């Protein structure tokens, strides 16, 4: 309940750089950069792909919509295959993965191609903010100053009121993720900004909304990532295979007024179901990639995933627990904060980077001896919550 059948495997992947990609005018171009590359990485022929799932939020970023069919522009061999566009706010990429896993579990085919893509930078910043506000409950939250950043600023303010000022912890999260991002060849910002810069309000790091500074907010980005999925039996015969030991999806109320927004209860439930499905606890994870659209989101997720008790999220980062060499490295890729956050691509990207870790192919990002990874991707303010537990099959 709330998940998909475990056992599907990732057997190939590709990832574009994230950032303001002037040489990629649209989503179609970005799709072309990752679609064939993922199939080649899997070592299969395009003709073996049985279905395509495209995660694409759009929402007004571009006039061209209906992206599922655009895959054929770069892969004409896939003509007449079923191709479906999936959207679930900032968890769009994970939603596309779940669609592909359901296709496999139903026995409808052997290989699926999943693509996550977004072109965000072709419209003005104010328009981007309005598009993103569509992921909030406009009836109540549409007039919050600073758009979606304002929504998370309100979450931060509520958390601070309950648990004290956490500005030191938020700055430590930002600094950690920017430091990790230096080693990510796909990241939008590959610069170690340092704790003091992230902690200090300045002309280069101004307040965006409430207690959130620019370094607390993820980036407006273009980018794409792709995966090839198959069943475990087929994957066992292939060159590499990363298995979904568990996958959970939980949806919570959209209005933040309808719940205790400082607790991310939907995320808690998704993590609980994923742990139960995998037969593990948080202490078994080697690393986690979590949805740090804003630093306050990562802080609260430390608690939602059970790493620390409620109200003690700051301890996880200030005590070094989530640092690269800590008990549970969180966002060794640099997270959305450093890597970028092209909405439709994010969930697929998180799974690609986690698969790389488990395959030992993460280069300078590598967490030594990684055997079990957790992925948390959310849409809206902890409304759509997806957790995957991944392990290496071969």
């Amino acid at each position: 309940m709330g998940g998909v059948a475990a056992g599907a495997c990732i057997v190939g992947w590709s990832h574009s750089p994230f950032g303001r990609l002037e040489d990629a005018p649209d989503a179609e171009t970005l799709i072309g950069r990752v679609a064939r590359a993922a199939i080649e990485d899997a070592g299969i022929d395009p003709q073996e792909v049985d279905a395509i799932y495209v995660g694409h939020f759009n929402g007004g970023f571009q006039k061209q919509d209906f992206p599922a069919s655009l895959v054929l522009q770069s892969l004409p061999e896939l003509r007449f295959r079923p191709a479906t566009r999936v959207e679930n706010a900032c968890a769009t990429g994970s939603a596309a993965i779940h669609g592909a896993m359901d296709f496999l579990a139903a026995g409808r085919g052997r290989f699926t191609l999943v693509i996550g893509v977004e072109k965000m930078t072709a419209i003005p910043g104010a328009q981007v903010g309005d598009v993103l506000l569509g992921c909030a409950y406009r009836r109540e939250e549409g007039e919050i100053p600073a758009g979606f950043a304002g929504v998370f600023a309100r979450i931060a303010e509520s958390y601070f009121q309950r648990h004290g000022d956490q500005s030191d912890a938020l700055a430590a999260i930002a600094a950690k993720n920017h430091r990790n991002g230096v080693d990510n060849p796909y990241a939008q910002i590959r610069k170690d900004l340092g704790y003091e810069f992230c902690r200090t309000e300045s002309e280069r790091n101004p307040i965006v909304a409430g207690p959130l500074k620019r370094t607390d907010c993820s980036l407006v980005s273009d980018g794409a990532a792709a995966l090839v999925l198959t069943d475990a039996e087929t994957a066992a015969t292939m060159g590499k295979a990363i298995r979904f030991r568990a996958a959970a999806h939980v949806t919570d109320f959209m209005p933040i007024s309808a719940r205790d927004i400082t607790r991310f209860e939907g995320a808690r439930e998704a993590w609980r179901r994923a742990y139960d499905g995998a037969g593990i606890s948080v202490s078994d994870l080697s690393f986690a990639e979590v949805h740090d659209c804003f630093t306050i989101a990562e802080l609260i997720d430390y608690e939602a995933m059970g790493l620390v008790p409620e109200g003690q999220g700051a301890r996880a980062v200030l005590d070094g627990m989530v640092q690269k060499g800590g008990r549970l490295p969180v966002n060794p890729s640099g997270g959305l904060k450093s890597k970028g956050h092209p909405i439709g691509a994010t969930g697929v990207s998180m799974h690609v980077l986690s698969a790389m870790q488990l395959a030992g192919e993460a280069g300078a990002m590598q967490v030594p001896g990684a055997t079990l990874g957790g992925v948390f991707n959310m849409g809206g303010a902890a409304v759509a919550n997806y957790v995957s537990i991944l392990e290496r099959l071969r």
Side-chain angles (χ1 to χ4, degrees):
M1 194 171 159
V4 296
C9 294
I10 301 167
V11 293
W13 52 78
S14 62
H15 200 299
S16 82
F18 282 4
R20 184 174 289 274
L21 305 181
E22 305 288 354
D23 62 341
D26 49 35
E28 180 181 335
T29 305
L30 290 164
I31 287 169
R33 291 184 181 176
V34 297
R36 188 177 296 275
I39 293 171
E40 290 176 350
D41 187 59
I44 64 172
D45 188 274
Q47 298 284 358
E48 295 182 78
V49 172
D50 297 303
I52 307 156
Y53 287 83
V54 178
H56 185 221
F57 174 70
N58 197 0
F61 291 129
Q62 295 211 291
K63 288 187 176 180
Q64 177 64 64
D65 217 325
F66 191 22
S69 62
L70 296 178
V71 179
L72 304 188
Q73 308 299 86
S74 56
L75 278 168
E77 302 98 318
L78 298 187
R79 187 183 185 194
F80 302 138
R81 302 297 194 282
T84 305
R85 182 264 191 91
V86 181
E87 185 278 314
N88 213 10
C90 305
T92 286
S94 290
I97 291 170
H98 275 234
M101 292 171 73
D102 285 339
F103 179 91
L104 294 172
R108 295 175 58 198
R110 221 166 44 117
F111 290 104
T112 58
L113 173 65
V114 182
I115 300 165
V117 63
E118 210 71 64
K119 175 71 181 180
M120 298 177 69
T121 66
I123 59 175
Q127 197 174 339
V128 169
D130 186 62
V131 170
L132 292 176
L133 199 54
C135 297
Y137 188 55
R138 283 188 185 269
R139 183 176 293 180
E140 294 180 3
E141 299 153 23
E143 302 306 317
I144 292 178
F148 211 56
V151 172
F152 274 84
R154 187 166 291 184
I155 293 170
E157 287 166 345
S158 297
Y159 188 95
F160 285 17
Q161 287 168 7
R162 182 172 299 179
H163 301 297
D165 189 320
Q166 306 294 322
S167 297
D168 289 352
L170 298 191
I173 290 169
K176 168 184 71 73
N177 290 350
H178 279 291
R179 184 166 57 253
N180 289 348
V182 172
D183 293 327
N184 185 346
Y186 308 119
Q188 184 166 351
I189 296 181
R190 299 183 66 186
K191 184 176 183 181
D192 185 353
L193 298 179
Y195 173 80
E196 288 303 323
F197 179 83
C198 295
R199 181 66 180 87
T200 307
E201 180 186 351
S202 66
E203 188 176 336
R204 292 173 59 210
N205 190 26
I207 292 289
V208 174
L212 302 181
K213 297 182 280 294
R214 182 177 290 164
T215 49
D216 293 306
C217 307
S218 60
L219 305 158
V220 174
S221 318
D222 309 327
L227 297 166
V228 174
L229 301 184
T230 190
D231 59 88
E233 186 178 355
T234 300
T237 68
M238 301 186 70
K240 60 186 178 185
I242 306 302
R243 183 173 81 101
F244 283 83
R245 186 156 161 177
H249 171 205
V250 167
T251 302
D252 205 347
F253 295 114
M254 192 176 192
I256 59 176
S257 64
R259 52 205 163 102
D260 181 350
I261 197 55
T262 68
R263 299 189 70 243
F264 281 15
E265 291 163 287
R268 285 171 184 267
E269 180 63 14
W271 278 107
R272 185 192 67 76
R273 293 185 188 185
Y275 291 147
D276 287 351
I280 65 162
S281 68
V282 65
S283 62
D284 295 307
L285 294 175
S286 306
F287 68 92
E289 286 287 337
V290 308
H291 195 101
D292 60 322
C293 51
F294 299 90
T295 51
I296 185 64
E298 180 169 329
L299 182 79
I300 296 174
D301 196 50
Y302 297 153
E303 301 169 17
M305 69 192 297
L307 188 58
V308 289
E310 188 173 328
Q312 296 183 33
R315 188 162 61 84
V317 66
L318 296 177
D319 291 359
M321 197 181 302
V322 294
Q323 302 288 350
K324 186 79 175 285
R327 171 180 146 199
L328 180 67
V330 173
N331 288 333
S333 69
L336 285 57
K337 180 77 267 296
S338 171
K339 180 182 60 178
H341 184 23
I343 305 298
T346 287
V348 180
S349 166
M350 296 169 90
H351 285 81
V352 168
L353 289 157
S354 296
M356 290 170 63
Q357 286 284 356
L358 294 166
E361 297 181 9
M365 294 181 286
Q366 187 67 51
V367 174
T371 58
L372 205 60
V375 177
F376 171 63
N377 180 205
M378 75 178 179
V383 178
N385 303 276
Y386 291 82
V387 173
S388 300
I389 306 297
L390 302 175
E391 67 181 351
R392 183 172 181 167
L393 181 68
R394 61 173 292 129

